[in-house]
Amino acid sequence: RQGATLSDLAEKINVNPAALVTVLFHLGEMATATQSLDEATFEILGQEIGWNIKIVSAEEEDRELLQQFDIDLDSEQEDQDDKDLKPRPPVVTVMGHVDHGKTRLLDTIRKTNTSAHEAGGITQRIGAYQVTVNLEGEPRKITFLDTPGHEAFTAMRARGAELTDVAILVVAADDGVMPQTVEAINHAKAADVPIVVAVNKIDVEGANPEKVRGQLTEFGLVSEEYGGDTMFVDISAKLGTNVDKLLEAVLLTADADLDLRANPNMDARGATVEARLDKGRGAVATVLVQQGTLHVGDAIVAGSAYGRVRAMLDENGKQMKEAGPSTPVQVLGLTSVPTAGDVFIVAPEDRTARQIAEKREATARAAQQAKRRKVVSLETLNEQ
Ligand code: GDP
Ligand code: MG
């Protein structure tokens, strides 16, 4: 577990971080305000300044808050009976270097595989969508996060939302491995997410898919032809070439590497994919259900936003009454706009949802104020 810093402590107990550095120095320990320290050091320091110090992460702090309302995320996870778990679609993020074709690929997949274009409907971007693919005669769903780029991926992970099951790494065959390709690989590896490589732009003159395969072996992504276990598919996002094969490869990779199951028969939980304030409809949030089933009428809390689900819409604007695991839905009825990556949970009552949201809001406000105070005290110190 990560340690805490003297700055963190200073913020909590409202003192100047420099003062804590000094106290620790007199105890024979040299440390800067931003250096990560272990619990033992904090214990010695605490005895000196008269505080009982416990290091808890923001996550743990929030867990404790939820426990006050009898919501225990851990025990719910562990209590999952094997027979309650049902297969769920993989959730996929498209990553890769700028201009290598992430957006184009997501558009092509959406246009050719969602039901909207058959029904003549208009698909709207809600931050995620689902497609149906036939694999060996069996219809299978895949959920795409429609927010390309690893900024979104890291932002969500940083907020505790582990959304992605499989990453599609897009590499343009006329450009090869570039810095953000490497970054994307590192992010996926850090999150332990299997990668399917889409070698894109094979329609472009001078495209060299073999070169991409060669380059990627250096990063541990070895294609099956080369004796490795990473699936590579040569595609043209522009012409739609082999996009169906790419989707099959995603399913095959998920089936081979992952055991994607969830219990649909419990209170829903998941993460906010994107959210905004709509003039007519108020706060509109796209959430991805990860466990359980979300229903119209459920009381939910996402970060410090809360409310009762008034209506749910899919990416085709179709009303939904319920949404099970791996389903993205646009939710109406929140009283404020949550942040992308905020985890959402269903609360037993409207009142509980409101109280959790308000406590989080208060914690966030206190942290903000402490930050502001710290700046003031440091300036004062410099003047002296
Ligand atoms: P992103 O930055 O990764 O999202 O890249 P974009 O999807 O915006 O694509 C960058 C440019 O490459 C755009 O002009 C696309 O139309 C073009 N492009 C994407 N895929 C292909 C492809 O398969 N073939 C060709 N010829 N152009 C493509
Ligand atoms: Mg783009």
Side-chain angles (χ1 to χ4, degrees), residues 133-188:
V133 181
N134 271 309
L135 185 71
E136 286 147 13
E138 200 193 321
R140 300 267 306 265
K141 282 179 177 169
I142 305 177
T143 303
F144 277 91
L145 295 179
D146 200 1
T147 38
H150 32 257
E151 291 87 2
F153 186 80
T154 26
M156 288 194 192
R157 283 200 76 216
R159 303 184 73 82
E162 304 273 356
L163 292 183
T164 306
D165 298 308
V166 177
I168 293 181
L169 178 68
V170 177
V171 187
D174 60 344
D175 203 23
V177 172
M178 296 301 275
Q180 287 162 35
T181 314
V182 179
E183 257 176 59
I185 295 169
N186 291 337
H187 284 308

Side-chain angles (χ1 to χ4, degrees), residues 23-304:
V23 174
L24 204 57
F25 178 77
H26 286 303
L27 290 167
E29 294 259 3
M30 295 272 273
T32 64
T34 53
Q35 186 181 332
S36 187
L37 303 173
D38 59 17
E39 206 140 22
T41 307
F42 275 106
E43 205 180 311
I44 299 165
L45 178 65
Q47 278 165 7
E48 185 68 19
I49 62 174
W51 285 85
N52 188 3
I53 303 166
K54 202 173 114 206
I55 303 179
V56 289
S57 63
E59 218 170 66
E60 283 170 286
E61 211 175 341
D62 195 62
R63 237 161 242 268
E64 280 170 18
L65 165 64
L66 293 178
Q67 273 163 12
Q68 289 170 21
F69 294 94
D70 275 331
I71 299 170
D72 188 346
L73 301 184
D74 292 325
S75 83
E76 281 175 30
Q77 295 262 43
E78 285 157 14
D79 290 349
Q80 297 302 316
D81 209 319
D82 208 54
K83 67 172 173 19
D84 296 329
L85 298 175
K86 302 280 178 282
R88 64 168 181 85
V91 178
V92 179
T93 302
V94 174
M95 302 169 96
H97 196 71
V98 64
D99 281 346
H100 279 199
K102 300 178 293 292
T103 303
R104 192 74 191 250
L105 176 61
L106 280 162
D107 286 347
T108 301
I109 295 170
R110 190 195 306 103
K111 276 191 208 118
T112 44
N113 293 77
T114 52
S115 55
H117 83 125
E118 288 156 30
I122 302 159
T123 24
Q124 27 168 344
R125 272 174 194 271
I126 65 164
Y129 63 83
Q130 252 184 352
V131 298
T132 306
V133 181
N134 271 309
L135 185 71
E136 286 147 13
E138 200 193 321
R140 300 267 306 265
K141 282 179 177 169
I142 305 177
T143 303
F144 277 91
L145 295 179
D146 200 1
T147 38
H150 32 257
E151 291 87 2
F153 186 80
T154 26
M156 288 194 192
R157 283 200 76 216
R159 303 184 73 82
E162 304 273 356
L163 292 183
T164 306
D165 298 308
V166 177
I168 293 181
L169 178 68
V170 177
V171 187
D174 60 344
D175 203 23
V177 172
M178 296 301 275
Q180 287 162 35
T181 314
V182 179
E183 257 176 59
I185 295 169
N186 291 337
H187 284 308
K189 279 187 179 164
D192 206 15
V193 167
I195 293 173
V196 172
V197 181
V199 183
N200 191 29
K201 305 200 188 186
I202 53 162
D203 60 292
V204 174
E205 212 181 283
N208 190 347
E210 286 316 305
K211 189 175 158 199
V212 174
R213 281 174 175 69
Q215 288 178 325
L216 284 175
T217 54
E218 280 178 46
F219 300 93
L221 297 175
V222 183
S223 70
E224 292 179 318
E225 306 96 293
Y226 288 23
D229 54 11
T230 301
M231 298 195 74
F232 281 64
V233 184
D234 295 344
I235 65 160
S236 166
K238 185 181 172 185
L239 304 178
T241 319
N242 290 344
V243 170
D244 51 345
K245 292 210 174 66
L246 177 65
L247 299 180
E248 280 175 21
V250 166
L251 289 171
L252 292 171
T253 299
D255 290 350
D257 293 6
L258 310 164
D259 178 25
L260 300 178
R261 294 185 300 161
N263 181 358
N265 298 312
M266 56 182 273
D267 281 344
R269 194 187 313 150
T272 310
V273 175
E274 70 172 46
R276 65 193 164 81
L277 195 62
D278 184 281
K279 252 191 182 169
R281 299 184 297 169
V284 177
T286 297
V287 302
L288 177 75
V289 178
Q290 293 180 288
Q291 293 188 67
T293 298
L294 185 64
H295 305 89
V296 169
D298 282 348
I300 64 170
V301 51
S304 44

